[in-house]
Amino acid sequence: MTMLIKVDPLKPAEDVLRKAADLIREGGVVAFPTETVYGLGADCFNISAVLKIFQIKKRPADNPLIVHICDREQLKDLIDQDYQKASTVMDTFWPGPVTLIFRKKPVVPKEVTGGLETVAVRMPSHPVAYKLLKLSGTPIAAPSANLSGRPSPTRAEHVIEDLYGLVDAIVDGGETPFGIESTIMDFSRERPILLRPGPATIEEIQKLIPNLEIPEFLLKKVNEPVRPLSPGMAYRHYAPEKPLILVINENRLDEILLKYPDAPVICPQEMITRFYGRRTIVLGTLKEPFTIAQNLFHVLRTVDSVATKVAIAVGFEPKGILFSVMNRLRKAASEIIE
Ligand code: AMP
Ligand code: MG
């Protein structure tokens, strides 16, 4: 049975959230909102609880989870290295939408890290996530609360759609503010490297870490490596059930529109007049790129409810948060027109 727990996202009542925290402490699996997307959490030191996450999501065992904490003190129990070189990033972005990877302590179960000797850690800022962590009294291992491969959940309804009946509780704290998954940086190597772009933009993090390596495949200068830098990157992600054609080369847009006369187009507000007479799904205005990020996964889920075989999405100039949006769109697409 799944307990539905509705809370005020800004001021969650402690007695209500305590039910969710008790479930975590007893080895249960609970979905909860964070400032990025909804997470599916379990006590990170309870191996059977952690394994339930993989089973419920149908997640491959080698795709590691992110461990969430609410206090830097908790790092002592998790990581086996000096985190000095990450301290400016932590001071700036914690609590917040940035995940950092370090060498792990032996006590961190291999099941959490997909067999790796490193662990991903994040301190979320969402009041619900933060309070749930405080009340649980343990770091919470949590990937996104969707079925593996589906778009990440940004609303409790998305979690209900994918996981109702499979998890012990779903904490409903409304829509998640950023709407895309955290920025991930690996600090376990000599030179820090960006593994996943997210809400903290490349421009911002490069200012803080001038020697940060940005893999060339993220900048689209080369193809994705055959052996991924991060296990989760190997899988097709965030995808609607129907084929999605991402058009990056605008010169080929008319050709694609002709080829698929019934396909709806996912686009920014500024472009709708270009698709006169055709169904459009608006992501938001280019003047508010963070709103585009917030709406992205909801729109990708909407695509499946439209009765056509294919959908088209138009690409964005990959700047600021839209760089991360483009990264997700590329992973969601079944075909990319460049
Ligand atoms: P999710 O929370 O569903 O976005 O999944 C977490 C993602 O974090 C995984 O898919 C990996 O790409 C990444 N990740 C977690 N732990 C590690 C790690 N130790 N090394 C590299 N990447 C990691
Ligand atoms: Mg995920």
Side-chain angles (χ1 to χ4, degrees):
M1 217 203 46
T2 300
M3 192 191 291
L4 285 178
I5 304 172
K6 197 158 174 78
V7 291
D8 181 329
L10 296 179
K11 285 199 161 109
E14 203 164 301
D15 54 329
V16 182
L17 257 193
R18 195 175 292 280
K19 289 185 210 143
D22 288 345
L23 284 168
I24 297 270
R25 274 200 304 227
E26 292 156 10
V29 177
V30 174
F32 60 97
T34 80
E35 68 276 21
T36 58
V37 300
Y38 273 75
L40 182 62
D43 176 352
C44 109
F45 296 117
N46 183 332
I47 295 176
S48 65
V50 166
L51 287 175
K52 280 194 251 172
I53 294 178
F54 286 89
Q55 192 195 354
I56 291 168
K57 281 183 56 101
K58 301 198 175 71
R59 184 176 177 102
D62 68 350
N63 191 356
L65 311 182
I66 293 172
V67 175
H68 295 73
I69 58 172
C70 59
D71 190 333
R72 266 195 219 186
E73 278 292 296
Q74 290 173 299
L75 280 175
K76 280 207 222 108
D77 307 329
L78 300 169
I79 71 169
D80 204 7
Q81 72 173 81
D82 175 19
Y83 58 79
Q84 194 52 37
K85 54 183 172 175
S87 60
T88 36
V89 185
M90 286 185 195
D91 293 343
T92 311
F93 288 109
W94 276 13
V98 168
T99 297
L100 303 174
I101 291 170
F102 300 106
R103 286 194 300 279
K104 80 173 187 74
K105 281 241 161 95
V107 287
V108 178
K110 284 254 177 135
E111 286 76 3
V112 170
T113 65
L116 298 173
E117 287 304 326
T118 52
V119 62
V121 191
R122 179 163 94 85
M123 190 189 291
S125 63
H126 194 296
V128 176
Y130 196 76
K131 209 167 213 174
L132 180 64
L133 281 159
K134 280 251 183 259
L135 293 171
S136 303
T138 179
I140 295 180
S144 51
N146 52 310
L147 287 174
S148 215
R150 298 269 295 139
S152 293
T154 56
R155 303 177 182 193
E157 299 87 88
H158 301 158
V159 184
I160 292 171
E161 201 171 274
D162 281 12
L163 304 180
Y164 189 81
L166 303 174
V167 299
D168 295 300
I170 298 171
V171 181
D172 179 352
E175 195 170 351
T176 55
F178 286 115
I180 55 170
E181 307 84 347
S182 57
T183 302
I184 304 183
M185 284 177 272
D186 188 348
F187 278 88
S188 71
R189 326 161 159 221
E190 195 50 36
R191 182 178 172 195
I193 181 168
L194 177 71
L195 293 184
R196 178 171 76 185
T201 64
I202 293 196
E203 294 86 339
E204 280 177 295
I205 52 182
Q206 266 183 325
K207 253 186 237 157
L208 290 178
I209 323 158
N211 72 332
L212 180 73
E213 183 179 345
I214 315 275
E216 294 221 305
F217 72 90
L218 279 181
L219 299 168
K220 290 292 135 209
K221 288 191 183 144
V222 295
N223 288 333
E224 284 210 26
V226 181
R227 202 170 154 272
L229 290 169
S230 174
M233 289 181 187
Y235 306 106
R236 185 170 175 233
H237 262 309
Y238 324 118
E241 272 147 21
K242 77 179 47 155
L244 178 71
I245 300 167
L246 173 62
V247 183
I248 291 177
N249 181 349
E250 276 219 31
N251 295 328
R252 292 190 58 196
L253 186 55
D254 288 335
E255 165 202 334
I256 300 298
L257 291 172
L258 265 177
K259 191 167 167 192
Y260 302 103
D262 299 325
V265 179
I266 300 170
C267 65
Q269 178 72 35
E270 284 78 358
M271 278 187 88
I272 50 172
T273 49
R274 177 140 184 204
F275 307 112
Y276 185 72
R278 183 187 287 262
R279 175 160 187 156
T280 50
I281 307 174
V282 174
L283 270 172
T285 160
L286 291 170
K287 289 184 208 115
E288 288 171 17
F290 275 88
T291 311
I292 290 181
Q294 192 188 34
N295 292 336
L296 178 70
F297 287 131
H298 179 66
V299 162
L300 289 183
R301 279 177 184 257
T302 313
V303 163
D304 287 327
S305 62
V306 180
T308 53
K309 285 208 193 71
V310 197
I312 298 168
V314 288
F316 298 97
E317 191 190 345
K319 272 206 179 135
I321 186 88
L322 295 181
F323 181 92
S324 310
V325 168
M326 281 307 289
N327 169 270
R328 305 308 192 266
L329 273 174
R330 281 176 176 276
K331 285 190 185 284
S334 50
E335 190 183 345
I336 302 175
I337 311 290
E338 316 226 35

